[in-house]
Amino acid sequence: MNKSRMFSKTLIWLSVLILQFIEPRVFAKGKLNVLYIIADDLRPTLGCYSDPVVKSPNIDLLASKSTVFFNAYAQQAVCGPSRTSFLTSRRPDTTKLYDFNSYWRVSAGNYTTLPQYFKSNGYITMSVGKVFHPGIASNHTDDYPYSWSVPPYHPPSFSYEKRKVCKDKDGTLHSNLLCSVNVSEMPLGTLPDLENTAEAIRLLKSMKDLGNPFFLAVGFYKPHIPFRIPQEYLKLYPIENMTLAPDPEVPKKLPEVAYNPWTDIRKREDVQALNISFPYGPIPKDFQLRIRQHYFASVSYVDAQVGKILQALEDLDLAKQTIVVFTSDHGWALGEHGEWAKYSNFDVATRVPLVVYAPGMTWPLQEDRMFSYVDVFNSAAEQPAEAYGVHRMVELVDVFPTVASLAGLPPPRRCPFPSFQVELCTEGFSLASLLDRHLRPTSHHAYAHSQYPRPSDSIRPDSDLPALADIRIMGYSLRSSDYLYTLWVGFDPKTFRANMTDVHAGELYFLAEDPGEDHNLFDELNHGMMIRKLGAQHSWAENLKQHLLYFSAVSKLKWTL
């Protein structure tokens, strides 16, 4: 055992002793452990979400014993703001984070995080890989020691992620977008997510020995770019079988302010060599196919890591005492609307997988084995049973109160408005009542809210990631089962206030007729009356809700006539 691992295990033991000695009344309040797995930039391209291309047998097996939320949405489609949002259960306007350059405890409020809440209730809390966004957004410590019992683990090989390690056909090394590799040739002879998996398994083993309730968060780096993955996963997706996005053109009525010009993609050497015009491109079709191939391969790579951790959970006899949550921070466009990456309010950017396994609730405990590793390269592997799905609109801010409820802890109360001075509360709802297929679910909100900032009405190089001081417009979206509605309104970065009457542009998509969100109908309806009537007296979320109810009534009347 190396020194760092010995040190980590010692810290875990010390944490247990401190909790028992100083404040024994908070020790072991919860009934179940928590394993919280977070992928990076993963849209619901999974078999359990009826994706016909991607091979994800391990996540599908987890889903077959879980509740799958088919309409789960992130609150902002970029890593730092999204992770801060769902780990505090507050929306970006409450965390005051739209970029990567502030720490919510300093800039907004001393909000209690999900792992911090479990830690305060006697759990050993541990972080592996990318859970909080690194840097200023988590105080350069991943919010340690507030959220974690021991210092978070970061794989040493991640330091090479953006270096010139991608071998070209001529053997030269580059910093590319497409970067399938021979792992044995990589610096340190490994890759970050392989190290994350090994560390997660090691921590599970150490917790088995301790017998203390634990909260383990594992953040995988893929399928985030660059697609630096083991080269064998490309074999699962022959390039001749790849297809373009069904709607690869920029929609004619898409406002400029709504477009994501994918500037991070353009910075990679292999993309720069294509000499693509800014802002609309397009990327050559053969390269588009290769991007999609590498993204799907990255998903299967993550799936294999998830399977290994679930296998360890089973082998350690922890599966029947551990809640498992699998999700992502946001989605990723694969050519839809002529866009790549995230940075928008379209479904491909905001919709995420959300799979929740609760022992004895989503699956009975009588079964001998819950999880077994499935080799993604074994085409003869048995298909898991169909997952139990929930189609109601849910949000990532709902995860905090849900996991607390499932673990037997009191869920945090709903936040008042405003809630900057309230340390523990939630802007989401517990989904616990939706998990059990045998229970009649209680009523739940019918909308999901997302937002995205822009520096101007026109497209600029910083449109994807404007700094806070440069944000002048905020796009607030409301997603129902029938519509996606977005208002792009004026925003003051000094006061963090939006002016809902200062409308720069809008989007309205009727999803029954336009599931790909390609035909913007905003200009075909009269919005002036609604904007004048509602602009000053409601929160933006209530504003959009009232607008959507109005459009629903208008459309029903139009269809009747």
Side-chain angles (χ1 to χ4, degrees):
M1 183 181 294
N2 61 40
K3 291 183 179 179
S4 64
R5 290 186 174 180
M6 290 179 64
F7 180 66
S8 178
K9 190 166 185 177
T10 301
L11 283 174
I12 293 174
W13 277 101
L14 285 173
S15 298
V16 176
L17 291 173
I18 289 169
L19 285 168
Q20 289 175 314
F21 180 73
I22 295 178
E23 198 168 1
R25 59 189 173 83
V26 303
F27 185 72
K29 273 190 180 179
K31 299 176 182 178
L32 295 170
N33 307 310
V34 178
L35 173 60
Y36 191 8
I37 305 175
I38 307 164
D40 200 344
D41 289 16
L42 176 63
R43 56 194 258 167
T45 50
L46 300 165
C48 55
Y49 282 84
S50 302
D51 187 281
V53 178
V54 169
K55 296 175 175 60
S56 54
N58 292 286
I59 298 171
D60 296 346
L61 177 60
L62 170 65
S64 71
K65 302 176 188 299
S66 306
T67 295
V68 176
F69 292 92
F70 283 94
N71 288 295
Y73 289 85
Q75 278 47 80
Q76 187 178 327
V78 68
C79 304
S82 177
R83 289 166 186 265
T84 298
S85 174
F86 66 70
L87 288 166
T88 61
S89 200
R90 316 284 184 113
R91 302 181 188 280
D93 279 353
T94 307
T95 65
K96 297 184 179 180
L97 181 68
Y98 314 101
D99 54 13
F100 304 109
N101 299 317
S102 65
Y103 179 42
W104 77 90
R105 295 189 191 275
V106 174
S107 62
N110 189 30
Y111 307 146
T112 300
T113 69
L114 172 58
Q116 181 183 0
Y117 185 53
F118 274 78
K119 182 184 176 187
S120 69
N121 279 282
Y123 278 68
I124 300 298
T125 58
M126 301 163 288
S127 172
V128 172
K130 186 178 178 181
V131 179
F132 283 99
H133 196 277
I136 299 173
S138 58
N139 201 34
H140 297 283
T141 64
D142 297 275
D143 199 44
Y144 175 79
Y146 296 101
S147 290
W148 310 111
S149 303
V150 295
Y153 171 82
H154 294 286
S157 65
F158 185 72
S159 62
Y160 298 93
E161 192 72 357
K162 295 181 181 180
R163 300 191 193 181
K164 294 180 182 291
V165 295
C166 312
K167 186 179 294 187
D168 212 339
K169 293 180 180 179
D170 60 3
T172 57
L173 297 179
H174 301 272
S175 177
N176 286 345
L177 172 67
L178 310 182
C179 190
S180 61
V181 300
N182 181 333
V183 176
S184 65
E185 297 178 353
M186 287 294 97
L188 306 183
T190 187
L191 291 174
D193 283 338
L194 298 177
E195 291 186 285
N196 283 339
T197 299
E199 179 65 8
I201 293 172
R202 189 191 69 80
L203 288 174
L204 287 175
K205 290 178 180 178
S206 69
M207 294 313 299
K208 172 67 174 178
D209 296 337
L210 291 176
N212 194 82
F214 64 84
F215 180 106
L216 173 60
V218 182
F220 289 115
Y221 293 101
K222 298 303 165 204
H224 193 289
I225 63 171
F227 300 123
R228 189 165 74 109
I229 59 171
Q231 58 193 13
E232 57 266 25
Y233 285 90
L234 288 185
K235 298 176 183 177
L236 296 169
Y237 304 96
I239 194 67
E240 60 270 19
N241 294 345
M242 294 296 97
T243 59
L244 299 176
D247 51 352
E249 305 298 328
V250 179
K252 293 181 180 179
K253 294 186 178 181
L254 182 69
E256 273 197 52
V257 70
Y259 186 72
N260 138 41
W262 33 279
T263 50
D264 58 346
I265 298 290
R266 299 171 189 271
K267 296 175 183 177
R268 311 293 165 165
E269 290 184 30
D270 51 351
V271 177
Q272 288 180 344
L274 299 173
N275 197 27
I276 300 168
S277 61
F278 184 87
Y280 292 116
I283 294 175
K285 291 182 179 179
D286 61 333
F287 202 86
Q288 290 189 41
L289 295 175
R290 294 184 64 202
I291 294 176
R292 289 169 66 88
Q293 176 197 35
H294 280 70
Y295 184 90
F296 298 149
S298 299
V299 175
S300 292
Y301 169 50
V302 170
D303 177 82
Q305 309 317 307
V306 172
K308 292 173 183 176
I309 293 175
L310 293 177
Q311 174 77 61
L313 197 71
E314 182 66 54
D315 291 344
L316 294 167
D317 199 28
L318 292 170
K320 295 179 181 179
Q321 297 88 42
T322 304
I323 298 161
V324 181
V325 177
F326 176 81
T327 190
S328 175
D329 51 0
H330 44 71
W332 210 79
L334 283 168
E336 294 88 357
H337 318 110
E339 296 183 337
W340 302 87
K342 47 260 188 182
Y343 315 121
S344 82
N345 284 331
F346 281 121
D347 268 21
V348 289
T350 59
R351 184 168 170 248
V352 296
L354 179 58
V355 178
V356 181
Y357 162 76
M361 179 180 287
T362 61
W363 196 259
L365 295 176
Q366 290 85 350
E367 188 171 327
D368 291 339
R369 290 186 66 84
M370 294 293 175
F371 307 115
S372 297
Y373 176 73
V374 183
D375 185 354
V376 69
F377 295 97
N378 181 7
S379 59
E382 183 179 350
Q383 293 296 314
E386 185 175 350
Y388 171 63
V390 171
H391 290 270
R392 301 187 187 201
M393 299 294 131
V394 302
E395 304 174 289
L396 287 184
V397 288
D398 298 335
V399 173
F400 187 152
T402 301
V403 175
S405 296
L406 293 174
L409 302 179
R413 66 185 177 102
R414 284 278 295 169
C415 290
F417 181 81
S419 64
F420 298 114
Q421 303 304 316
V422 182
E423 292 189 10
L424 177 61
C425 67
T426 176
E427 293 183 0
F429 295 88
S430 173
L431 309 177
S433 65
L434 301 178
L435 290 175
D436 194 331
R437 65 192 76 188
H438 303 296
L439 295 178
R440 183 176 181 179
T442 59
S443 60
H444 192 68
H445 54 301
Y447 307 99
H449 302 95
S450 303
Q451 60 188 100
Y452 209 86
R454 298 290 191 220
S456 68
D457 290 304
S458 58
I459 301 171
R460 302 184 348 186
D462 64 342
S463 288
D464 287 345
L465 283 174
L468 174 62
D470 297 325
I471 297 173
R472 294 294 178 269
I473 303 168
M474 188 69 72
Y476 290 105
S477 285
L478 186 149
R479 174 66 155 83
S480 75
S481 58
D482 300 314
Y483 308 96
L484 174 62
Y485 179 54
T486 303
L487 282 183
W488 295 91
V489 300
F491 184 83
D492 185 340
K494 295 181 179 179
T495 62
F496 298 89
R497 289 184 178 273
N499 181 354
M500 298 301 290
T501 64
D502 179 23
V503 177
H504 291 237
E507 298 169 80
L508 176 62
Y509 304 100
F510 287 14
L511 300 173
E513 304 169 4
D514 181 22
E517 302 162 1
D518 298 307
H519 307 291
N520 182 12
L521 302 178
F522 183 83
D523 291 335
E524 297 183 19
L525 294 175
N526 179 12
H527 301 258
M529 179 191 72
M530 292 297 294
I531 292 169
R532 286 193 299 272
K533 183 178 179 182
L534 297 170
Q537 63 202 58
H538 295 288
S539 69
W540 68 264
E542 183 62 25
N543 230 321
L544 296 191
K545 178 181 176 182
Q546 295 297 327
H547 281 217
L548 207 58
L549 291 172
Y550 167 73
F551 296 137
S552 178
V554 169
S555 62
K556 288 178 181 176
L557 177 62
K558 183 172 69 172
W559 293 333
T560 301
L561 296 176

